[in-house]
Amino acid sequence: AYFVELDGALVSYFEGEPGGPGFGGRYLGTAMGSDGDFNGDGSPDLMLADSGHSGGTNLGEGRVYLYTGPDLAPAGVLDQDALAVRYGSYLQFGPDLDQDGCSEILIGGPDGYVGSVIPGRVHVVSGATGVDLQVLSTGQGDDDFGARFDIGGDVGSDGRPDVLVMAPTYDHGGPGPGSAFVYDSPRFIRLEVS
């Protein structure tokens, strides 16, 4: 992945690391976020995803790399040890939901397991600790839930931004026409929207 100025001047170059069997390092740059501050130091930080990263014996589990501040120093790695979750297929910085002064991180894993089904998941991760604050899912199989999402708006009318999560193959009892789900933050209660 390359970070360049508008005039084309190279700022930084990031190279994926080799993983276990399969795809490791080939998908660095699948998604990125650069409009948040996960460590609360006042400088924008960077996230780069490699949704095909394979570690150990798992293929395509995915990984998100964190870089801090103006010098883009490596700050850590977020990943899930599960088969083919595509963790990091989509990601965004979120607002400071737990009021600790740090932006939260939302990470999509559209092939994430819940029990024995694969509905997909969105991980709401603390920017300060890297721990999941919440994991969102439909619980229904093969939804691609978390393939895309957005933060903003206030459907819940509580003065806090809400999260819209797309599930493009969600099944309503027939062939999956898809669906979108709205979650009221910071509690992440799914709102019924008609």
Side-chain angles (χ1 to χ4, degrees), residues 84-86 109-114 117-121 137 145:
V85 297
R86 293 189 301 153
D111 288 341
Y113 281 83
V114 175
V117 297
I118 309 171
R121 301 184 297 192
S137 181
F145 182 88

Side-chain angles (χ1 to χ4, degrees), residues 29-32 49 51 85-92 106-111 119-123 136-138 143-151 162-170 178-183:
T30 304
M32 67 165 285
S51 66
V85 297
R86 293 189 301 153
Y87 186 75
S89 289
Y90 196 71
L91 49 83
Q92 281 188 16
L106 279 75
I107 302 172
D111 288 341
R121 301 184 297 192
V122 172
H123 297 258
L136 310 176
S137 181
T138 65
D143 288 349
D144 271 341
F145 182 88
R148 292 286 181 267
F149 47 84
D150 201 8
I151 303 163
D162 298 323
V163 178
L164 173 70
V165 181
M166 282 58 97
T169 57
Y170 183 81
S179 203
F181 299 90
V182 178
Y183 291 86

Side-chain angles (χ1 to χ4, degrees), residues 6-146:
L6 290 177
D7 65 3
L10 180 65
V11 175
S12 290
Y13 169 75
F14 302 92
E15 187 172 319
E17 63 183 273
F23 313 110
R26 291 186 27 204
Y27 298 103
L28 183 69
T30 304
M32 67 165 285
S34 61
D35 58 351
D37 178 13
F38 61 77
N39 62 359
D41 68 356
S43 295
D45 299 320
L46 175 68
M47 303 180 290
L48 286 174
D50 177 353
S51 66
H53 179 83
S54 299
T57 59
N58 295 329
L59 295 176
E61 64 192 32
R63 177 171 275 182
V64 175
Y65 299 89
L66 306 173
Y67 302 91
T68 61
D71 60 351
L72 299 176
V77 173
L78 302 172
D79 57 17
Q80 295 290 307
D81 186 23
L83 182 63
V85 297
R86 293 189 301 153
Y87 186 75
S89 289
Y90 196 71
L91 49 83
Q92 281 188 16
F93 279 108
D96 178 10
L97 300 174
D98 56 6
Q99 305 297 306
D100 64 359
C102 301
S103 300
E104 311 314 349
I105 301 168
L106 279 75
I107 302 172
D111 288 341
Y113 281 83
V114 175
S116 62
V117 297
I118 309 171
R121 301 184 297 192
V122 172
H123 297 258
V124 181
V125 179
S126 166
T129 66
V131 173
D132 283 345
L133 298 174
Q134 186 85 339
V135 178
L136 310 176
S137 181
T138 65
Q140 176 178 301
D142 298 322
D143 288 349
D144 271 341
F145 182 88

